[in-house]
Amino acid sequence: MVWKIFLFLLMAGVIIAAFIFPAPQQQIGDASRIFYFHVPQAWVGVVAFVVSLIASIRYLRKGKIIDDDRARVAAGLGLLFTILATVSGSIYAKATWGAYWNWDPRQTSILMLLLIYGAYFALRSAIEVETKRARLSAVYAIFAFITVPFLVFIIPRMMLSLHPSDTVISSSGSPLGTSYAAAIFFSSLIAFTGLFFWINNLALRICIVERRMLEESDQ
Amino acid sequence: MPKSSIGLMAKALAVWRKDIRCEFRTRYAVNAIMLFGVTTLVVVSFAVGQKNLLPEVYSALFWIIIFFSAMSGLAHIFVREEESKTATVLRLTSDTTPIYLGKLGYNVVLLALLQIVIAPLFLLLTDATLYDPALFIVIVILGSIGLAGATTLIAAIISRASVKGALFAVLSFPILLPLLIGVINATTKALSASGGGFSGSSSELQLLVSYAVVMITASLLLFEFVWEEE
């Protein structure tokens, strides 16, 4: 309970601070405030997909149905946060690059993530037998995840990217250079990660309760 | 004869030979894939055949034709086993890895037949100029191996799902996206005068080779979980 209140206060604080303090990158202006939300959303998306991947591998090794629930719940949340990151990224792209969609390598790779997990849920809905569904979707999730390095590391080197991920980490105009911006950013990162694990935990508990109710009605 | 007394490749070859023989009794997959390819090619040629377009456009059109033709036929290899109820017999008589390799080989042959028909026709029926034939052939071969390597496991997955038709393309597209970006970039270079030959497209060729190796290796590891009945 305590940490839920803490999370609420932290999230509210991050939202207020993101708008009160000066924009993190002066040359871009107010549009750069989206940095406080877009990066944590994309980060949570990746964390969720990794959680889903680990659960899928565990399912194939151990065969416990709870791991399939874990994989499905995390993949659903990953999809949600990836959509949020795509939308916030597009708004930033419109403000700085001039169009919502430019086929920047980063946009290509996030679109592929959306397609993979869209296909993952399409596959799940097409199989009725539970164990078969769990097995096949776990195989697909692992197989699809293997292609991600190609899009994240290889394709961006073949094409020019305007995505400011390099400037954030290295250059002198980095928004993380100023202390208040770094504080807001890392608070936001913690808040979003906490939010993900909270929702994930809730959804998983609902899954377990539903499964138990189903068992009781069978008896 | 006990299972282990013949080698892996010999078993894979036996599965492959059986599939080729089955195919040429009905010619279902060959007909589907060829007719789909030729029809799409005719539509493309009708629409843009007389126009002098950029090499980028030609290379994208060519791979769109190949991708969707492949989607119409490559799943058949596993769907047929489920539909004719022969999958269980195959499970009993052979280990899993040779089955994957045999089916992969069959799909590579199917794609090779498609490319042998479509690639020359495409160059004839459109205004695309081929500046580097050797590079083009290498790209087509690597692209086909990658395409077959990634989609054979997907075919095995969807053959066990209840809705088979549209799911194959939906599941395959995101996985094939890195391959498609690579082959389309490389084909553009083979079709343009300033492409730079093999050295100019070395990064794309590396991508195609590594993609095929990674996808086939992953398929070999994962195929067992798709194929074995629990």
Side-chain angles (χ1 to χ4, degrees), chain A residues 9-36:
Chain A
L9 291 175
L10 186 66
M11 196 59 126
V14 163
I15 293 169
I16 294 165
F19 287 97
I20 286 182
F21 283 94
Q25 277 178 308
Q26 293 300 331
Q27 62 270 42
I28 291 172
D30 282 337
S32 62
R33 291 180 197 277
I34 215 159
F35 161 75
Y36 295 131

Side-chain angles (χ1 to χ4, degrees), chain A residues 142-147 150, chain B residues 100 145-151 153-154 175-176 178-179 209-222:
Chain A
I142 297 167
F143 196 55
F145 203 87
I146 291 168
T147 61
F150 283 99
Chain B
Y100 174 76
I145 294 173
L147 194 60
T151 51
L153 185 77
I154 306 291
I175 288 180
L176 287 174
L179 176 86
V209 172
S210 55
Y211 180 86
V213 170
V214 166
M215 295 322 266
I216 292 172
T217 313
S219 300
L220 282 170
L221 293 173
L222 289 169

Side-chain angles (χ1 to χ4, degrees), chain A residues 160-175:
Chain A
L160 195 67
S161 177
L162 292 171
H163 192 271
S165 50
D166 301 329
T167 60
V168 167
I169 297 159
S170 58
S171 82
S172 55
S174 163

Side-chain angles (χ1 to χ4, degrees), chain B residues 169-185:
Chain B
V170 170
L171 293 187
S172 299
F173 179 69
I175 288 180
L176 287 174
L177 202 61
L179 176 86
L180 288 174
I181 291 173
V183 284
I184 289 172
N185 275 354

Side-chain angles (χ1 to χ4, degrees), chain B residues 36-198:
Chain B
F36 195 103
V38 170
T39 314
T40 330
L41 177 62
V42 167
V43 174
V44 166
S45 159
F46 178 74
V48 300
Q50 305 303 314
K51 298 184 178 66
N52 197 5
L53 299 173
L54 291 169
E56 284 90 340
V57 181
Y58 283 122
S59 110
L61 285 172
F62 176 71
W63 284 102
I64 289 170
I65 296 172
I66 298 297
F67 171 73
F68 281 102
S69 313
M71 287 303 105
S72 72
L74 291 190
H76 185 64
I77 184 71
F78 280 106
V79 174
R80 182 181 58 209
E81 300 283 359
E82 297 290 334
E83 280 176 356
S84 61
K85 319 274 184 219
T86 50
T88 314
V89 179
L90 196 57
R91 258 182 215 113
L92 285 173
T93 49
S94 176
D95 300 340
T96 44
T97 310
I99 294 174
Y100 174 76
L101 289 174
K103 304 267 179 197
L104 173 68
Y106 168 86
N107 271 350
V108 169
V109 168
L110 204 59
L111 271 181
L113 288 176
L114 176 76
Q115 295 279 17
I116 288 167
V117 174
I118 298 295
L121 272 180
F122 182 83
L123 295 171
L124 281 177
L125 292 176
T126 62
D127 256 1
T129 326
L130 187 57
Y131 285 94
D132 199 336
L135 177 64
F136 182 70
I137 291 169
V138 170
I139 293 164
V140 162
I141 291 171
L142 288 178
S144 304
I145 294 173
L147 194 60
T151 51
T152 305
L153 185 77
I154 306 291
I157 292 177
I158 67 128
S159 75
R160 317 212 54 205
S162 51
V163 195
K164 295 180 177 73
L167 207 54
F168 189 45
V170 170
L171 293 187
S172 299
F173 179 69
I175 288 180
L176 287 174
L177 202 61
L179 176 86
L180 288 174
I181 291 173
V183 284
I184 289 172
N185 275 354
T187 311
T188 306
K189 288 180 180 164
L191 292 177
S192 51
S194 55
F198 278 93

